[in-house]
Amino acid sequence: MTLATPAGYRALDDASLRDFLAGLPDLRDRLGGRPADWSIVEVGDGNLNLVFLIDGPDGSLCVKQSLPYVRAAGESWPLPLDRAFFEQSYYRAVAPVSEGLTPRFYYYQPELYALVMERLSPHIILRRGLIEGRRYPGAAAAVAEFAARATFATSDFGATLEEKAELMATFARNTSLIRITAEVVFTDPLANSPRNRWTSPELDGLAKEFRADSALKVTVAEWGRRFLTEAQALIHGDLHSGSVMVTETDTRVMDPEFAFVGPIGFDIGAFIANLVMNAIAQEGHATPGDDRKAEAEWVLSQVPVFWDTFSSRFLALWDDKARGDAYPPAMFTNPGDAEALAGARKAFVDRLFADAIGYAGVKTIRRILGFAHNADFELIADPARRAPLEEKAIRLARRFLLQPASFKTPADIVAAVREG
């Protein structure tokens, strides 16, 4: 099957990518030398896109291009190309507050649905590093800093109603990827979807049990409704450890093609869920010389680091850079106003933590019973070893969803993981 594509579009390959970049003087000069001198490697290993790394005598670039289908599924799952437009739109929207926390964005070619950005080197994907037992002391705090800056600046506290309306008008059109999230995150894992998969037969009974849990399904459906209706800020939409690249001293957030104006807690909960899943999975990567207990404890310790950094920075930004039309500063000029306003701000951030707990539960379930799984578990080759750890994670996820009052602080999450 060959899918129809717009005039001018073609999937880039080695030769056409050289021609494309050679026709852009600034990018050609950044690489240096002749196009024939450039090294090009396609490294896209995610679910959706082509990703090329280009090295020239003088510099490097990364080119990311949409394909007209979900790469992980092939042409049987067509997908509009415009996700590249929304990814570059997100980079542009958060650029004023994200310097040093995302790849530098250089160029977008609308006919090819291709964006050109900084090649991050010697960075690796955070998830890969954690699976290998490496520690990145600044990563969780940096991701939290990014999330606080990006969401505050695009919320009704940090943006005017006109700016927020423009963001909503732009990103509301990202319907293809919003639909994917609505289906594969919220609907499919607890339904009889042919896209679902799990460690079988070890988790067959668990999958059946969860699909029969009416209270759980209603709760997840409610979180899905809130995902679709709560337009709090421009969110990344897929903020997990596979969307972060790191070195020991640098952290960058990437791959925001799922961006839209939605609930802040969705991003926060996604990252917390991925830290928790990695901590639980560490046991499955143990070797005779390393039981991975210390690594698991370290990853778990990053949950409070992440939340505490996010919450403190969001509140600090609200105190210092409030310019939006929600809680307008002009209202709060009396001597007694400061304390009341501080209390309202703290209550809002506390609600974000409660939201994050719910979304963390949803995101964990989809990674074990749904279409796209995490390498944290998938790279545990022995299913008899992998399945009990997946079960531990997903049962904790159900507690997040059905017993949310048990999780008031990040310390409660840490304690729950330790208890098993």
Side-chain angles (χ1 to χ4, degrees), residues 97-362:
V97 297
S98 65
E99 177 64 30
L101 294 169
T102 60
R104 292 184 181 89
F105 171 76
Y106 297 132
Y107 182 77
Y108 176 63
Q109 219 307 329
E111 288 78 18
L112 294 175
Y113 296 90
L115 53 154
V116 186
M117 53 193 157
E118 176 184 11
R119 178 187 174 177
L120 298 174
S121 178
H123 299 64
I124 69 169
I125 293 172
L126 175 59
R127 175 176 290 143
R128 172 185 156 191
L130 295 178
I131 290 170
E132 293 174 355
R134 306 187 196 185
R135 300 185 186 186
Y136 301 93
V143 176
E145 177 74 26
F146 165 80
R149 290 189 199 178
T151 57
F152 178 81
T154 59
S155 73
D156 291 296
F157 314 124
T160 65
L161 67 89
E162 291 83 6
E163 292 165 343
K164 176 86 177 299
E166 184 65 26
L167 290 171
M168 293 179 71
T170 296
F171 287 92
R173 299 196 302 273
N174 195 10
T175 52
S176 298
L177 295 197
I178 296 170
R179 173 160 291 285
I180 284 179
T181 301
E183 292 181 357
V184 305
V185 174
F186 293 95
T187 303
D188 286 1
L190 298 179
N192 291 309
S193 169
R195 294 189 291 228
N196 291 340
R197 62 187 181 89
W198 53 83
T199 301
S200 180
E202 288 81 1
L203 296 185
D204 288 358
L206 183 76
K208 183 177 181 180
E209 173 190 334
F210 271 58
R211 290 198 305 271
D213 190 332
S214 301
L216 180 64
K217 289 193 288 187
V218 167
T219 302
V220 170
E222 172 60 14
W223 284 110
R225 182 197 67 79
R226 293 181 61 180
F227 169 80
L228 293 171
T229 59
E230 293 188 349
Q232 292 179 329
L234 179 61
I235 64 172
H236 179 282
D238 199 25
L239 188 61
H240 54 68
S241 55
S243 299
V244 179
M245 295 197 73
V246 292
T247 67
E248 291 183 355
T249 58
D250 190 49
T251 301
R252 308 290 186 94
V253 176
M254 60 178 188
D255 293 344
E257 63 255 65
F258 283 84
F260 83 115
V261 179
I264 296 170
F266 186 75
D267 276 357
I268 307 309
F271 196 74
I272 288 174
N274 278 264
L275 289 175
V276 169
M277 282 188 279
N278 180 271
I280 292 172
Q282 286 289 336
E283 180 183 336
H285 301 289
T287 64
D290 182 5
D291 62 13
R292 291 295 188 96
K293 290 182 179 179
E295 285 78 5
E297 279 297 315
W298 184 83
V299 174
L300 204 52
S301 75
Q302 299 309 291
V303 174
V305 169
F306 174 73
W307 170 253
D308 292 346
T309 302
F310 172 83
S311 59
S312 63
R313 290 296 295 130
F314 194 95
L315 287 169
L317 289 166
W318 201 344
D319 188 54
D320 186 50
K321 298 186 179 298
R323 54 184 290 275
D325 291 281
Y327 293 87
M331 283 183 63
F332 300 95
T333 57
N334 295 333
D337 290 346
E339 183 177 354
L341 180 57
R345 290 173 173 173
K346 177 64 164 55
F348 178 83
V349 171
D350 287 345
R351 287 195 295 274
L352 292 184
F353 181 76
D355 291 351
I357 292 294
Y359 288 119
V362 173

Side-chain angles (χ1 to χ4, degrees), residues 75-95:
E75 293 191 7
S76 64
W77 189 345
L79 189 65
L81 296 160
D82 60 3
R83 58 191 180 276
F85 166 79
F86 296 108
E87 177 162 355
Q88 64 91 31
S89 297
Y90 181 89
Y91 281 132
R92 293 180 190 275
V94 304

Side-chain angles (χ1 to χ4, degrees), residues 362-383:
V362 173
K363 294 286 276 186
T364 301
I365 292 172
R366 67 80 49 114
R367 290 297 187 183
I368 295 169
L369 298 182
F371 171 71
H373 290 207
N374 276 8
D376 307 79
F377 293 120
E378 292 287 276
L379 291 181
I380 302 171
D382 181 358

